Amino acid sequence: GVPLEIVHRDVSPQNVHLSHEGAVKIADFGIASANLFLDEVGVLKGKYGYMSPEQVSGGQIDARADLFAVGVLLAEMVMARRLFMSPNDLDVLLMVRDARLDRLNECADDFPVALRVMTVRALQRRPEDRWQSAAEFRDALDEWIRRTTRVTARDLASLIGQAINAPTAEIAGVPVPSADDGLSGPMT
């Protein structure tokens, strides 16, 4: 068979799930595309803040567009706030198109240097400057995790189990977000 080269095109917080075993799962392939099909010209599909610059500009997209979105998610997890945020959808689209990392740079102190370098590489404006495959990005992240922490998938599964079984939002060692956690607002 021929690889379909599926591009999800909507990698965003709502579509990333963790299994009870701590495995990351991508859901909702409703707007995914394969290179076998043509897209409608001029139609934006996906959540604006998680699109890639080439997606916003109506250019040709490939799997590296999804890696840009993974970079956005990684940045947002570390910063605990949206990377591309504005009350105006057009401004969000322009920030994404230009890969403006102003908010990431403002939160640089929150990022371990090596993790920030990997994240910035995923967030490059030009696809050829990004990670070239999900496997390459995964391997770099795995190596960083092995060097800097002892957290395992089993640890993550344990935390998920605590969260599922917790009577309240309070879980040992996990801070409860304040009302202004920076992640609210329109999901464009």
Side-chain angles (χ1 to χ4, degrees), residues 82-102:
R82 300 283 303 275
L83 180 59
F84 302 113
M85 188 169 164
S86 173
N88 179 324
D89 287 346
L90 179 59
D91 288 341
V92 171
L93 290 169
L94 293 173
M95 284 185 260
V96 171
R97 181 198 68 190
D98 299 337
R100 286 193 23 220
L101 304 180
D102 304 344

Side-chain angles (χ1 to χ4, degrees), residues 168-186:
T168 68
E170 295 180 28
I171 300 171
V174 178
V176 177
S178 67
D180 182 29
D181 63 5
L183 293 174
S184 61

Side-chain angles (χ1 to χ4, degrees), residues 38-132:
L38 297 175
D39 292 329
E40 295 177 61
V41 176
V43 176
L44 290 178
K45 295 180 179 180
K47 294 168 191 76
Y48 298 158
Y50 300 93
M51 290 181 170
S52 65
E54 61 274 19
Q55 202 172 353
V56 166
S57 299
Q60 184 69 31
I61 63 169
D62 59 26
R64 295 172 296 183
D66 288 341
L67 296 181
F68 185 92
V70 171
V72 172
L73 290 172
L74 184 55
E76 290 181 350
M77 285 189 287
V78 174
M79 297 184 320
R81 62 183 43 111
R82 300 283 303 275
L83 180 59
F84 302 113
M85 188 169 164
S86 173
N88 179 324
D89 287 346
L90 179 59
D91 288 341
V92 171
L93 290 169
L94 293 173
M95 284 185 260
V96 171
R97 181 198 68 190
D98 299 337
R100 286 193 23 220
L101 304 180
D102 304 344
R103 295 191 85 179
L104 179 67
N105 295 331
E106 291 168 8
C107 296
D109 292 342
D110 296 336
F111 261 90
V113 174
L115 182 60
R116 185 166 184 258
V117 168
M118 286 184 279
T119 304
V120 168
R121 181 171 175 188
L123 294 169
Q124 291 300 298
R125 186 177 191 286
R126 296 169 6 128
E128 56 270 20
D129 295 334
R130 291 182 209 141
W131 298 99
Q132 295 303 295

Side-chain angles (χ1 to χ4, degrees), residues 24-37:
V24 177
K25 305 288 185 175
I26 304 295
D28 191 0
F29 282 77
I31 66 169
S33 68
N35 279 343
L36 301 175
F37 306 105

